[in-house]
């Protein structure tokens, strides 16, 4: 896994290999469930952007009662570098500024862009907790298998992270219509199909509203 | 009386030097042993008419007094290295995590139990790094806060340490009792540590609930280095995982000596994990032994110092000088002793006078010398006060390693559970003390 992951659909699959249950997932299922989790994130991002194409992630977080706490640290603990943490009980997202600075530098982003991306990642987990359900449960495996006897079932936590990557990347691509990210690099693209479709829908809604006084 | 007071002043000065980290424990121990003997009037070299002298009694006899314990620690470290190098520790930890699946609390409970089981057989800071390096990232990745992960891991480690045969023998030898005499106290302390961990986990889970983190490896992973391709699988792996249980069974059920128990554990592990080319496997076993000796160096040197202190304080010259003073400050009743130990138990930190593997060896030897209390009771009570520094002393190597690994200061890690540990230690002192003074 990369030190500063900003994966696309393909590289996000790497997240699954770090799940403790990875070896228990049948090989032929691995790609499928990763892509399914990624799509959950993509769909959620599209829905959010369709509802509020002009809104940014900060406003979205604020509107949903999420508190954003910035700590000026490069948080490295237990061999892991933390960029952000979301605590549902406290409706709180902690972002680690110096970790994000490194993330930005390594992904050729500005610090602001990197922070937005990371907040979008955590916002997906907020959606999982409150709206769309736990992505880790889209695929389950038996907790204990003794011969043909299967006891209990467990979801795959990594799928939730893959969904969050899918959400963050899609959200970022749509909201930054002027630039599209490709395999970790920022490449210029004006009016991506995705962005145009969503903006077009929004413009159409506004036109309808103007002509017929229909509320959005 | 005056000599006794001088001996105590020497003790206090050197204790402060050690607790303020002006002098390391490995230097303080022999210096204290010599200084106490000198203050009590023991001659430096053999002289006619004197049965004791510092060169022969304190240095020579003292240094080798706990040599058996050094051997025990070497065997425990060899065992630890063997289990790690054959991939058994990794296998046990990962299986526990798999069983917990997507339930962070279940994963944590299972990892606490596996960690305790592993440390009941394994020892040395090498073992801490080997097991901690696998357990801590899993705990943190399932949403346990790094500081909480450190505390839970240390409590589990301490639970295992309390029943580890090599530890029990050391405490028994220092207090001059049989290991079987303090077995009950060891298991009670193990349960206390597990309770500590579970209560901590419940409180933390209630307070913080679920947690998501966007995190990635702090360093690029070398996939080849983390992959253990030679790891055994299937029934042999399951049987190899029972190695700590085999050692505990030999110790507590058959009541065999520590070296015998570890030897059986090592042979069992070798039989269950031997795989691939024989010469390659023999080289792995040999390397485990060498690394075990290397990991045992710090405790081995400490044991030599403790041996010198025990010999010095236990000598008739020092006892004659010290007894009147000790009689004045040590309570004369069991309840008084328990209150004394419970209230002053924070002095077990920084290898202080209530840490049996530190200056506590001096105090314990002094109290034993008074002859007021049963040495078994003293050994049990001093083992209770030893539980705290094993779990959360800023100078303990395991605490330093864990704190650094989770990115915290050792003092911070220890202070966060100071009150909880004080309460736990006081409770264990009274429970064990009353049990040993009335029932056992």
């Amino acid at each position: 896994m990369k030190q500063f992951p900003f994966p696309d659909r393909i590289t996000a699959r790497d997240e699954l290999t770090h799940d403790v249950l990875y070896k228990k997932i049948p090989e032929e299922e691995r790609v499928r469930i990763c892509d399914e989790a990624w799509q959950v994130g993509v769909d959620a991002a599209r829905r959010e952007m369709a509802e509020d194409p002009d809104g940014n992630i900060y406003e979205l977080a604020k509107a949903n009662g999420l508190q954003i706490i910035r700590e000026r640290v490069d948080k490295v603990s237990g061999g892991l570098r933390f960029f952000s943490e979301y605590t549902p009980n406290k409706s709180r997202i902690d972002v680690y500024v110096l970790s994000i600075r490194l993330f930005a530098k390594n992904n050729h982003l500005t610090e602001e862009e990197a922070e937005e991306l990371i907040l979008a990642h955590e916002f997906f987990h907020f959606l999982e907790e409150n709206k769309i359900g736990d992505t880790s449960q889209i695929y389950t495996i038996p907790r204990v298998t003794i011969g043909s006897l299967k006891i209990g079932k467990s979801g795959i936590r990594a799928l939730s992270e893959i969904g969050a990557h899918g959400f963050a990347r899609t959200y970022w691509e749509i909201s930054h219509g002027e630039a599209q990210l490709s395999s970790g690099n920022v490449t210029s693209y004006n009016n991506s199909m995705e962005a145009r479709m969503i903006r077009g829908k929004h413009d159409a809604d506004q036109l309808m509203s103007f002509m017929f006084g229909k509320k959005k | 009386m005056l000599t006794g007071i001088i001996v105590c002043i020497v003790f206090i000065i050197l204790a402060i030097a050690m607790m303020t980290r002006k002098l390391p424990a490995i230097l303080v121990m022999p210096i204290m042993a010599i200084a106490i003997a000198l203050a009590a009037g023991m001659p430096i070299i053999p002289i006619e008419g004197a049965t004791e002298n510092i060169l022969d009694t304190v240095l020579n006899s003292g240094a080798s007094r706990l040599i058996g314990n050094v051997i025990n620690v070497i065997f425990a470290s060899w065992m630890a290295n063997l289990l790690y190098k054959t991939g058994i520790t990794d296998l046990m930890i990962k299986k526990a995590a798999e069983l917990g699946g997507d339930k962070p609390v279940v994963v944590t409970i299972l990892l606490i139990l596996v960690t305790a089981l592993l440390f009941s057989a394994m020892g040395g800071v090498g073992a801490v790094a080997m097991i901690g390096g696998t357990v801590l990232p899993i705990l943190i990745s399932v949403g346990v806060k790094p500081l909480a992960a450190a505390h839970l891991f240390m409590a589990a480690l301490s639970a295992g340490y309390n029943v580890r045969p090599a530890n029990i023998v050391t405490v028994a030898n220092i207090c001059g009792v049989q290991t079987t005499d303090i077995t009950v106290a060891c298991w009670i302390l193990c349960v206390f540590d597990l309770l500590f961990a579970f209560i901590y986990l419940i409180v933390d889970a209630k307070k913080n609930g679920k947690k998501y983190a966007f995190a990635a490896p702090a360093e690029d992973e070398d996939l080849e280095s983390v992959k253990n391709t030679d790891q055994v699988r299937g029934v042999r792996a399951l049987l190899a995982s029972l190695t700590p249980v085999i050692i505990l069974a030999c110790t507590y059920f058959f009541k065999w000596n520590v070296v015998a128990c570890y030897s059986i554990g090592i042979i069992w592990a070798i039989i269950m994990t031997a795989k691939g080319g024989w010469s390659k496997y023999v080289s792995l076993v040999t390397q485990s032994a060498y690394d075990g000796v290397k990991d045992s160096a710090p405790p081995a040197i400490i044991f030599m110092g403790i041996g010198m202190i025990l010999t010095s304080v236990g000598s008739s010259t020092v006892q004659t000088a010290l007894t009147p003073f000790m009689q004045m400050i040590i309570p004369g009743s069991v309840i008084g002793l328990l209150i004394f130990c419970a209230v002053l138990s924070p002095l077990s930190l920084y290898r202080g006078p209530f840490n049996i593997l530190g200056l506590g060896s001096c105090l314990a030897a002094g109290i034993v010398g008074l002859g007021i209390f049963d040495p078994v009771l003293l050994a049990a009570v001093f083992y209770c006060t030893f539980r705290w520094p094993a779990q959360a002393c800023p100078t303990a190597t395991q605490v330093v390693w864990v704190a650094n690994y989770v990115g915290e200061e050792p003092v911070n890690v220890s202070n966060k559970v100071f009150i909880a540990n004080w309460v736990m230690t006081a409770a264990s002192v009274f429970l064990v003390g009353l049990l040993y003074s009335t029932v056992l």
Side-chain angles (χ1 to χ4, degrees):
Chain A
M1 193 173 170
K2 282 177 71 180
Q3 271 182 274
F4 302 97
F6 186 13
D8 56 19
R9 187 171 61 86
I10 306 298
T11 51
R13 293 170 188 162
D14 192 31
E15 188 84 47
L16 191 67
T17 62
H18 287 78
D19 198 288
V20 288
L21 298 173
Y22 175 69
K23 285 180 182 166
K24 295 180 92 175
I25 304 167
E27 210 170 328
E28 63 275 14
E29 296 278 27
R30 290 172 186 166
V31 170
R32 182 186 68 75
I33 60 172
C34 286
D35 288 354
E36 202 177 318
W38 177 269
Q39 198 56 41
V40 171
V42 170
D43 292 345
R46 284 177 181 159
R47 271 196 306 275
E48 288 301 318
M49 287 305 281
E51 281 174 23
D52 187 9
D54 299 325
N56 66 31
I57 195 71
Y58 296 96
E59 284 169 11
L60 203 53
K62 196 177 168 188
N64 284 285
L66 288 168
Q67 193 189 3
I68 298 168
I69 309 285
R70 283 186 186 76
E71 273 187 64
R72 206 178 155 71
V73 290
D74 173 23
K75 189 169 178 177
V76 177
S77 185
L80 298 169
R81 172 172 281 107
F82 289 77
F83 303 104
S84 58
E85 287 176 283
Y86 165 53
T87 316
N89 270 9
K90 297 177 179 171
S91 296
R92 167 180 163 160
I93 297 173
D94 292 277
V95 290
Y96 303 113
V97 176
L98 299 185
S99 299
I100 291 175
R101 181 174 291 175
L102 290 171
F103 182 93
K105 194 178 163 193
N106 280 276
N107 287 298
H108 312 291
L109 301 167
T110 65
E111 281 178 43
E112 292 74 23
E113 286 171 334
E115 188 176 296
E116 279 179 44
L117 194 77
I118 280 160
L119 281 175
H121 181 106
E122 297 303 353
F123 189 76
F124 176 77
H125 293 313
F126 165 81
L127 292 176
E128 281 187 292
E129 285 290 320
N130 297 284
K131 289 183 184 173
I132 60 174
D134 201 343
T135 312
S136 67
Q137 299 298 320
I138 62 173
Y139 185 80
T140 57
I141 53 166
R143 207 171 280 271
V144 182
T145 307
I146 307 163
S148 57
L149 180 68
K150 290 171 181 169
I151 305 165
K153 59 179 184 179
S154 171
I156 313 292
R157 286 176 64 89
L159 295 177
S160 175
E161 290 308 311
I162 293 171
H165 288 313
F167 180 90
R169 193 171 185 102
T170 309
Y171 194 94
W172 202 94
E173 285 179 0
I174 296 170
S175 60
H176 291 72
E178 291 73 30
Q180 185 186 29
L181 298 158
S182 172
S183 302
N185 295 315
V186 181
T187 54
S188 183
Y189 98 115
N190 286 320
N191 299 320
S192 73
M193 184 60 77
E194 180 110 58
R196 271 186 291 162
M197 278 170 65
I198 286 175
R199 278 205 299 271
K201 184 178 181 301
H202 180 61
D203 292 344
D205 285 347
Q206 282 189 326
L207 183 64
M208 294 287 276
S209 170
F210 174 74
M211 287 171 68
F212 306 107
K214 183 183 163 190
K215 281 190 179 173
K216 208 169 56 163
Chain B
M1 177 65 96
L2 181 66
T3 315
I5 292 170
I6 293 169
V7 166
C8 283
I9 291 170
V10 167
F11 175 84
I12 290 165
I13 290 170
L14 286 168
I16 290 170
M18 195 171 80
M19 291 164 90
T20 54
R21 309 185 87 166
K22 301 284 183 217
L23 275 175
I26 57 166
L27 291 182
V28 167
M29 300 289 185
I31 292 172
M32 185 178 284
I34 295 166
I36 286 174
L38 276 175
M42 189 186 288
I44 297 172
I45 53 169
I47 54 168
E48 237 182 81
T51 53
E52 294 163 335
N53 65 78
I54 291 174
L55 288 187
D56 291 329
T57 314
V58 178
L59 292 181
N60 192 32
S61 305
S64 57
R65 180 165 170 163
L66 297 177
I67 200 71
N69 300 93
V70 175
I71 305 293
N72 294 343
V73 169
I74 289 173
F75 269 83
S77 295
W78 181 8
M79 180 83 261
N81 275 281
L82 188 63
L83 286 181
Y84 178 71
K85 288 186 201 301
T86 51
I88 294 305
T89 51
D90 211 39
L91 183 85
M92 289 173 74
I93 293 163
K94 297 243 164 94
K95 282 286 168 201
E98 277 179 26
L99 198 59
D102 59 349
K103 300 273 181 279
V105 173
V106 182
V107 171
T108 309
I109 289 172
L110 291 171
L111 286 179
I112 288 169
L113 294 174
V114 167
T115 303
L117 180 64
L118 285 169
F119 280 108
S120 67
M122 298 165 77
V125 72
V128 177
M130 292 168 208
I131 300 171
T134 311
V135 169
L136 288 168
I138 296 177
L139 285 179
I140 292 169
S141 69
V142 298
V144 180
K145 285 171 96 176
L147 189 62
H151 288 144
L152 294 170
F153 179 73
M154 293 307 304
L157 176 152
S158 179
Y161 264 23
N162 283 321
V163 291
R164 194 168 68 115
N167 269 15
I168 300 167
V169 174
T170 305
V171 175
N173 284 351
I174 289 172
C175 295
V177 300
Q178 296 295 312
T179 50
T180 47
D181 292 337
I182 53 170
T183 304
V184 175
C186 300
W187 284 102
I188 288 174
L189 290 173
C190 174
V191 171
F192 263 75
D193 267 319
L194 290 176
L195 272 179
F196 182 102
F198 295 144
I199 293 169
Y200 188 107
L201 176 64
I202 291 165
V203 171
D204 190 65
K206 280 208 176 245
K207 192 176 159 194
N208 295 308
K210 203 173 175 181
K211 201 170 191 104
Y212 294 91
F214 185 7
E219 290 183 10
D220 278 328
E221 288 173 335
D222 176 4
L223 284 177
E224 289 310 306
S225 70
V226 295
K227 210 182 285 174
N228 190 342
T229 48
D230 285 343
Q231 203 175 65
V232 288
R233 298 184 193 286
V235 178
R236 284 180 77 208
L238 179 72
L239 292 172
S241 304
L242 293 177
T243 308
V245 180
I246 301 280
I247 295 169
L248 289 178
C250 290
T251 307
Y252 293 105
F253 189 72
F254 297 112
K255 302 188 191 313
W256 290 337
N257 68 66
V258 176
V259 173
C261 297
Y262 276 112
S263 300
I264 289 166
I266 288 166
I267 292 165
W268 174 270
I270 289 171
I271 293 169
M272 294 306 156
T273 59
K275 197 183 176 188
W278 178 243
S279 62
K280 191 181 162 194
Y281 189 77
V282 168
S283 149
L284 183 146
V285 174
T286 316
Q287 192 58 46
S288 304
Y290 292 155
D291 289 345
V293 174
K294 199 169 71 183
D295 289 347
S296 312
I301 295 173
I302 293 277
F303 283 156
M304 287 182 202
I306 292 174
M308 289 181 197
I309 286 186
L310 289 175
T311 313
S312 175
V313 176
S315 68
S316 57
T317 316
V318 175
Q319 278 299 320
T320 309
L322 205 58
T323 302
F325 182 76
M326 291 295 281
Q327 277 172 337
M328 202 175 72
I329 62 162
I330 300 297
S333 67
V334 171
I335 293 294
L337 176 78
L338 299 185
I339 293 171
F340 179 75
C341 290
V343 172
L344 297 178
S345 60
L347 292 176
S348 61
L349 300 176
Y350 299 91
R351 287 197 186 270
F354 281 88
N355 183 334
I356 194 87
L357 295 186
L359 301 178
S361 56
C362 183
L363 183 65
I367 303 176
V368 168
L370 290 177
I372 304 171
F373 302 107
D374 181 359
V376 175
L377 169 70
L378 285 170
V381 169
F382 268 84
Y383 206 6
C384 293
T385 57
F386 171 64
R387 188 202 63 83
W388 184 351
Q391 188 198 328
C393 174
T395 57
T397 45
Q398 66 268 27
V399 178
V400 173
W401 187 89
V402 170
N404 286 337
Y405 193 72
V406 299
E408 294 280 349
E409 283 296 316
V411 172
N412 190 30
V413 169
S414 304
N415 285 352
K416 289 272 181 190
V417 285
F418 186 90
I419 299 294
N421 262 317
W422 200 346
V423 171
M424 210 54 132
T425 305
S428 65
V429 162
F430 276 99
L431 178 66
V432 169
L434 292 173
L435 203 62
Y436 271 82
S437 60
T438 54
V439 183
L440 297 171

